[in-house]
Amino acid sequence: MTDESERSVRAAIDGEMLLLDPEVRASPARVLELLDTDFTEIGASGRKRDVESILTVTSGGSVSPESPVKVSEMSGVVLAPGVVHLTYFADNQGRRAWRSSLWRLRETGWRMYFHQGTLTS
């Protein structure tokens, strides 16, 4: 992996981890700084969400400060210049899911464009 690719993947991972942080999630302004204007999600619940509807989820306390999301097997790959695909395993208080997200570089920085979660046993 080139230095530029490594920096791109690191930026996407840093953004992903911020979006899992309960303090960041509690602030719609901070969440908006990390989401692309064209953001969509297909959540582990099967629901499809856009920017507006995801703000309801993130600010609703879905991640507890006392029990942060446990992340493992985080990996990323540059699909094209300015596009990173991340995959990882997340455990949120026993709710376990494989997660996948696409990040793209905009004028304002790296932003999550798409996110999907798939529940697992």
Side-chain angles (χ1 to χ4, degrees):
M1 192 179 306
T2 68
D3 287 347
E4 182 61 32
S5 292
E6 286 180 25
R7 281 192 296 274
S8 296
V9 169
R10 172 54 39 203
I13 289 171
D14 290 347
E16 191 83 37
M17 297 307 291
L18 282 171
L19 283 170
L20 293 171
D21 183 298
E23 185 177 308
V24 172
R25 293 171 72 85
S27 169
R30 291 188 69 192
V31 171
L32 285 173
E33 290 173 358
L34 295 164
L35 297 181
D36 193 274
T37 54
D38 297 326
F39 171 82
T40 58
E41 174 184 87
I42 301 171
S45 65
R47 292 185 188 99
K48 187 173 179 182
R49 295 190 169 98
D50 60 10
V51 172
E52 292 303 316
S53 60
I54 203 67
L55 290 176
T56 302
V57 173
T58 58
S59 63
S62 60
V63 175
S64 166
E66 294 79 30
S67 296
V69 175
K70 294 176 189 155
V71 174
S72 60
E73 301 182 50
M74 177 78 75
S75 65
V77 63
V78 175
L79 299 178
V83 180
V84 172
H85 179 226
L86 296 180
T87 58
Y88 62 98
F89 186 77
D91 185 330
N92 185 8
Q93 300 179 38
R95 189 167 192 249
R96 302 160 39 96
W98 284 106
R99 303 273 177 187
S100 175
S101 60
L102 292 174
W103 287 78
R104 64 182 181 179
L105 184 58
R106 307 300 266 176
E107 303 79 33
T108 54
W110 285 93
R111 303 291 178 255
M112 183 186 280
Y113 172 74
F114 177 79
H115 185 257
Q116 182 168 359
T118 303
L119 290 177
T120 186
S121 54

